Amino acid sequence: MISLFIDTSTKNVSISIVKDDKILSLIQEEICNEHSKYATSYVKKVIDEANIDANDLDNILVVTGPGSFTGVRIGVTIAKTYGYLINKEIIAVSSLKSLALSVSDKDIVMSVIAANKSSYYVGVYDSKYNDIICEQCVSNTRLLELIDEYNPYIVSDNFNVLGRYKFNKVNLDILKIVDYYKDKDTINYHALVPNYLKLPQALENK
Amino acid sequence: MKDIYCLAIESSCDETSMSIIKNGIEEIETVTNTQIDIHKSFGGVVPEIASRSHIENVTIVLDELFQRSKISMSDIDIIGVTYGPGLIGSLMIGLQCAKTISLVTGKPLIPVHHIAGHIYANNLEKRLEFPLIALVVSGGHTDLVYMKEDYSFKKIGSTLDDAVGEAYDKVAKVCGLEYPGGPLVDKLSKLGRDTYDLPMPLDDDSYNFSFSGIKSAVINVIHNEMQRGNEIRVNDMCNSFQERVVSVIVKKTMRALSEYNVNNLVLAGGVAANSYLRERLEEETNKNNINFSYPKIKYCTDNAAMIGAAAYYAYQKGKIADLTLNAVAVDTLYNEE
């Protein structure tokens, strides 16, 4: 079972080829605003390094958000097009749950990704990675309330401090994410869209 | 020579368009999803909403193109894609799609400048003859371009402020016309007369244009009249505006043809659909024995067919991009000699 994993939802880009329970190739890099330039070339690189043919994939997993709107669209467009070309359905991965999956042995994990200066995407998970609250976009104040309520271990895509709380930056554990999602529902490439969790500004103000 | 089939992708603004073009001249099939109704209620294209619509449609348009054309991916020789200029978030979708196709199939990726595409829209009607002057008029451009041969572009003049299509749309907006108002200004102009005393746009020895002055004049006249409680004669306003704008464009274009000693004129861009501009250029070029061509209306607005036409000649010139090709919001086509 050969899987391609793509995450371009934050500035930490992860692109990898996983075969069964082994990483064949992996690029994990912090790149700012250059996702558009490098993402497909990285996909090519991991395929070449894994020594497989572009048509050999059994699975395509892509992080559909929430995160940077443009960033998410880059990965999702690649996944949709790739899926169409090799006629494979796609597995949509949550950016927030990916962060939670990358830590172990915590009772309650909260994943936080900054949406902008004053709001955050947040998810709260139990030790089996089930959603305790549904993933959502919240204000500073609401995030602090949630932290007080759940007293979670907090992970983020970036080092960050909010009030007296420190967010722990984690690198994605690709094997664990792929393993968790491998039996989850797939979605047709035509129907796959980003999970923005936020309206465009033009609609928010309407 | 072997036939070259190009799969072309264009997503620079609010149209997701894909096309298959044979040898740069023959349109096999084009599928375009337009978002115009989505943006109407905002009075203009909202970039984030455009990007969201592109990604929803990207594989659907691709699939429909192959279904309708009865051509399969293995018949395709090159992938042509608009890399700029345009809305970054929109360009990105077509670009990632094109790059992924190139990555999976190994077919060469051809970067096409959006304006080169507009010029080559004419090639789908009749093979371009060189040297030529191209008048590029759209919502983002007002350029006079000299081409001595295929895929060689030298800009000889350009707008210093608003593009002509932009000025048309803004005038339409203050006249209370629905977005996109440019074509309506052309239409209503036929029902009116040149009665408003508007200033002429830049009418000097250069080949440059300026339309912000006349646009501001229209806005001022309308505001003043409204404050006085006077009715605006919209048809007359459209006529007065269009008369001056088209006159200056035609005058400078004809002078460029004569000074560069060129016998071929091609019209390109969204405003190439403007009937009065076509009419006036037709008249003048007839008088001066100039070959004049303009694209069919369906090739005037953004479409991938024109990108496929341009891609063929870019490919002949060896313009092949690698997978790090990036989208650019602003880029000059010129001096690509």
Side-chain angles (χ1 to χ4, degrees), chain A residues 33-41 43-44 47 54-55 69-70 72-74 76-82 84-86 189-190 192-194 196 198-203 206, chain B residues 41-42 46-49 51-52 55-64 66-67 73 88-89 92-105 323-327:
Chain A
N33 300 324
E34 297 262 82
H35 298 31
S36 160
K37 187 170 177 183
Y38 293 114
T40 44
S41 68
V43 173
K44 169 106 174 86
I47 287 171
N55 295 289
F69 291 167
T70 301
V72 165
R73 278 194 289 263
I74 289 167
V76 171
T77 306
I78 294 171
K80 280 169 79 86
T81 310
Y82 209 133
Y84 171 76
L85 292 170
I86 63 169
Y189 38 80
H190 288 320
L192 181 75
V193 285
Y196 298 107
K198 241 168 100 77
L199 288 172
Q201 224 164 17
L203 289 179
K206 270 219 154 177
Chain B
S41 63
F42 298 95
V46 182
E48 174 61 23
I49 295 176
S51 305
R52 290 186 180 199
I55 198 168
E56 284 163 19
N57 291 300
V58 64
T59 53
I60 297 171
V61 171
L62 183 61
D63 189 39
E64 198 177 325
F66 282 117
Q67 300 276 354
M73 187 63 90
I88 274 289
M92 204 80 96
I93 306 300
L95 183 72
Q96 299 303 330
C97 174
K99 293 209 287 185
T100 306
I101 296 171
S102 175
L103 152 74
V104 176
T105 63
L323 292 176
T324 58
L325 177 66
N326 209 352

Side-chain angles (χ1 to χ4, degrees), chain A residues 40-141:
Chain A
T40 44
S41 68
Y42 285 179
V43 173
K44 169 106 174 86
K45 224 165 152 179
V46 292
I47 287 171
D48 290 348
E49 269 173 38
N51 210 6
I52 58 167
D53 185 87
N55 295 289
D56 288 346
L57 302 183
D58 300 298
N59 253 337
I60 300 173
L61 296 94
V62 64
V63 173
T64 57
S68 144
F69 291 167
T70 301
V72 165
R73 278 194 289 263
I74 289 167
V76 171
T77 306
I78 294 171
K80 280 169 79 86
T81 310
Y82 209 133
Y84 171 76
L85 292 170
I86 63 169
N87 197 24
K88 287 274 189 294
E89 299 217 321
I90 316 290
I91 296 173
V93 173
S94 153
S95 55
L96 293 167
K97 190 169 272 188
S98 297
L99 290 170
L101 284 163
S102 303
V103 293
S104 308
D105 308 324
K106 308 286 178 204
D107 288 339
I108 295 180
V109 182
M110 173 186 274
S111 301
V112 180
I113 293 173
N116 54 35
K117 275 199 181 102
S118 56
S119 60
Y120 295 87
Y121 302 115
V122 62
V124 182
Y125 310 93
D126 65 19
S127 58
K128 297 266 185 295
Y129 306 106
N130 298 309
D131 291 22
I132 294 179
I133 60 164
C134 66
E135 296 176 350
Q136 53 196 279
C137 185
V138 299
S139 67
N140 284 354
T141 332

